[in-house]
Structure formats: structure tokens, C-alpha cells
Amino acid sequence: MSTHTVCLIPGDGIGPEITTSLREVIAAAGVQIDWNVVEAGAGVMDEYGTPLPDHVLDAIASAKVAIKGPVTTPVGSGFRSINVALRKHFDLYTNLRPARSIAGTGARYDDVDIVLFRENTEDLYAGVEVEEGSAEAAELIDWAASHDLGTIRPDSAISLKPISVTASERIVRAAFDYAVANGRHKVCAVHKANIMKYTDGLFLHTAERVAQDYAGQIEFETRIVDATCMGLVTDPSDFDVMVMPNLYGDIVSDLCAGLVGGLGMAPGANIGDEIAVFEAVHGSAPDIAGQGIANPTAEILSGCMLLDHLGEREAATRIRAAVEAVFAAGKVLTGDVKKIVSGSADGAASTQEFTQAVIAAL
């Protein structure tokens, strides 16, 4: 049996707890992994002067595959998101987020099976911003006025929204290729081209052009993002594979997670041509860190995506089945799920108790 080398970033908050669960479940499934554990985030700032030291980037580049726990991102100040930095550094242009119903989670729907492709490198998350009151902001305001592009208030901060043909084409093609490879039947491109006619319009027209290459294999449709959100909560079974620009993908993927029980059920992956980084979608939940009550499901399911990527599909299938069996039995549930199912978190399982139940079900 071959041994895989995987870079592991435990993260902070509940990250170390749920990545421990991940490692225990994968080991119990019989997959041999040599974990190269490296730290990133606020906890290494004093030592390295950056939340993402070079040796972390080197470790990921060497292994070509990594999985991470959540890392806290400061709101409104401080360093930019570690996730965004990794995506930009390694050009991890595909953010892949599946949302699939699991019986016994107390979710509002039981028939959701959606895979969302989010473009990961452009849009308003590109980080092309200027601060209110800066010379750069004043220059942009004057430039817009001089080119009859509209009036921007002088006390504005400004963020630019780049959307390119290159990035749009490769994410749409990734969605179609996934649909073909996995027996899916429809790809829906989501946009706001009725308002943003040049940026979202470019994304829409690129998607329409790429879709022609898959005509007869995969059905294609387009939807405006606000109508998409309404459609998802009205009838999520109408959606299959979805593809969209960065900002909409971030928001809509969380909406999809809500359809299947919340972010505690939501795995994710950031994939480029050479490197892939897997992660649970949820945050670091510092308020419950160290208490042993975190739900490790999203991290474990992200581990399943990692195993699929490594060619260990049989083990990934067994782990997913074990997770589903634990929820279906309804006897060992972490507090977040137990509260939804029964109205109270009394008698909820700890992180480790849930982990051991999954292992016993393998």
C-alpha cells in the first residue's frame, strides 16, 4: 500500500480538534498518509512577521496537496484571509463546494445534491482596493468623472471587480468537465449581467460559449444570482452543478450549506492545475475552541474529497457511508446537530465521541 505525503495546517480555534478527528478517521480507513504538519495564522505572526510563512508555502508546493483547519481572519483590519492568500499564490482557481443531504441532520431538505464551482481568483475578492481619503481614491474618483462613468462620492473607498475571459473560461470548463466525469446532467451559470453588463456580462457570454462544446452531453442554463437564491430555497432539487464568479460563489455556497444542515456539514476544496488545498467551509469558532464539542463532519468530508483526489476512492466512499450511518442512527450527535434534531443539546456527543462512532461504523 502506497503512502501519500500531505501537508496539514491545523489552523486555530477548533481547527486542531477537528483535524485530529480527520487524521484518526483516515487512519482507521486504512489509508497511509505521511502528514507534514505546519502552522499558519495569527499564532505565528510574532515569530515570522507574517501569518503565512515561506516554509508553509514550500511545504504545500512540495506535497502538491494539503488540507487545513479553519484559520481566523480579522474583520475590518489586520492581515487578509489565509485562504485568499493561498488561492492567489498557487492559482487555486477552482473552489469546489458540494452540498449533499444527509439523513438525520435535521436539515430542512432531504433531496439536495448540488456541486458548486466558484471562481477563486478574481472579482471583488481580488483585493484591488483603495482606502477612503487616499490619493489613489481621489485619482480614481477624478478619472471616473472625467470619463463620464458616473459620480463617486469623495468620501468613498473603492474596490475594483476584475473579471477575465481566461479565468471565466477555465472555471466554467472545470464545471462542465466535472459534470461529464461524474454523471451529472446540468450546469447552471449564475451572474448579475443584467446590471454589470461588462464584468458579469463577460462571464455570462464566456459560459455560453464554453457550453457549446458540451452540447448534447450536458444541459446548460443561466440564472441571475438573486433569482438563483430564491430558487434554491424554493426547490433545491432543480439544481445540479452550478458555476459562478467569486463573490456570488462565496455567498451562494453558504446558502447551499444551510440547505443541508449548516456549515458544519460543508466540505470544500481549492484546486489548481498543480496543487489542491482542502478545507472545511466553516470558520474557526473560537468561542467553543478547546471544549471538545466541535462538529468535525465538514473536516472529515473534506478529507473524503482529499482521498478522492489521491485516488483513494474506496476509502472515501466508506468514510462517507460511515458518517451517514452515524447520523441516521441518531445516537451520537454533536450539540449543533442535536439541538436542530431534538430542540436541545442536552446529552450531545463530544468531538471525540462522534469521531469514534464514525470509526466504529467503517
Side-chain angles (χ1 to χ4, degrees):
M1 181 179 294
S2 61
T3 299
H4 306 279
T5 299
V6 176
C7 181
L8 172 65
I9 302 172
D12 53 41
I14 61 172
E17 300 166 67
I18 62 175
T19 53
T20 295
S21 295
L22 161 79
R23 294 176 66 172
E24 292 176 354
V25 170
I26 289 179
V31 180
Q32 301 295 318
I33 292 184
D34 178 15
W35 298 100
N36 182 8
V37 182
V38 291
E39 299 288 347
V44 303
M45 284 285 290
D46 289 343
E47 183 175 359
Y48 297 104
T50 173
L52 191 58
D54 287 343
H55 72 269
V56 175
L57 298 173
D58 292 342
I60 296 172
S62 176
K64 297 193 181 304
V65 61
I67 189 164
K68 58 181 288 296
V71 178
T72 302
T73 300
V75 176
S77 62
F79 62 84
R80 289 190 183 275
S81 165
I82 293 291
N83 294 340
V84 172
L86 288 173
R87 293 164 188 167
K88 292 182 71 172
H89 183 83
F90 292 114
D91 197 23
L92 306 177
Y93 58 86
T94 295
N95 188 210
L96 176 60
R97 293 187 175 184
R100 183 168 173 266
S101 296
I102 298 177
T105 62
R108 295 177 181 273
Y109 300 91
D110 58 9
D111 59 349
V112 178
D113 187 5
I114 298 169
V115 179
L116 189 145
F117 280 75
R118 166 191 172 193
E119 201 290 315
N120 231 0
T121 65
E122 295 190 325
D123 198 4
L124 290 170
Y125 284 17
V128 187
E129 290 191 298
V130 293
E131 188 177 4
E132 180 269 328
S134 66
E136 293 83 3
E139 184 177 355
L140 282 173
I141 291 167
D142 290 343
W143 180 86
S146 67
H147 287 77
D148 294 325
L149 295 176
T151 300
I152 302 175
R153 292 187 178 91
D155 57 348
S156 296
I158 301 171
S159 184
L160 303 185
K161 176 188 168 81
I163 300 283
S164 71
V165 173
T166 298
S168 298
E169 180 170 347
R170 66 184 181 178
I171 191 64
V172 173
R173 198 168 294 281
F176 272 99
D177 287 343
Y178 178 94
V180 171
N182 291 275
R184 297 284 181 153
H185 69 276
K186 181 170 64 174
V187 171
C188 176
V190 178
H191 63 91
K192 190 67 176 175
N194 57 322
I195 302 298
M196 285 167 279
K197 299 183 185 300
Y198 294 131
T199 50
D200 282 30
L202 183 149
F203 178 84
L204 172 61
H205 299 322
T206 301
E208 290 171 336
R209 176 171 53 79
V210 171
Q212 294 175 7
D213 295 338
Y214 300 85
Q217 299 180 75
I218 302 295
E219 181 184 347
F220 175 64
E221 68 174 5
T222 66
R223 298 199 189 198
I224 296 173
V225 63
D226 41 344
T228 298
C229 293
M230 183 185 70
L232 281 166
V233 299
T234 303
D235 183 11
S237 66
D238 193 34
F239 295 85
D240 188 1
V241 176
M242 307 174 71
V243 61
M244 61 198 73
N246 205 337
L247 176 63
Y248 309 146
D250 190 8
I251 297 168
V252 175
S253 62
D254 278 17
L255 188 158
C256 290
L259 302 177
V260 298
L263 293 177
M265 303 293 158
N270 302 281
I271 303 170
D273 291 333
E274 301 291 335
I275 291 172
V277 178
F278 299 84
E279 62 180 351
V281 172
H282 60 70
S284 57
D287 55 320
I288 62 169
Q291 299 179 36
I293 61 174
N295 181 357
T297 300
E299 191 75 19
I300 293 171
L301 294 178
S302 297
C304 292
M305 297 176 71
L306 164 71
L307 294 179
D308 287 335
H309 183 78
L310 294 174
E312 299 283 357
R313 293 185 177 275
E314 186 273 337
T317 299
R318 284 194 291 118
I319 293 172
R320 289 186 179 103
V323 170
E324 291 173 5
V326 171
F327 281 114
K331 297 178 180 178
V332 185
L333 303 176
T334 52
D336 57 327
V337 178
K338 189 171 179 59
K339 188 173 182 179
I340 294 173
V341 172
S342 64
S344 170
D346 292 346
S350 68
T351 306
Q352 262 302 301
E353 287 170 338
F354 179 87
T355 302
Q356 292 306 310
V358 172
I359 290 172
L362 284 170

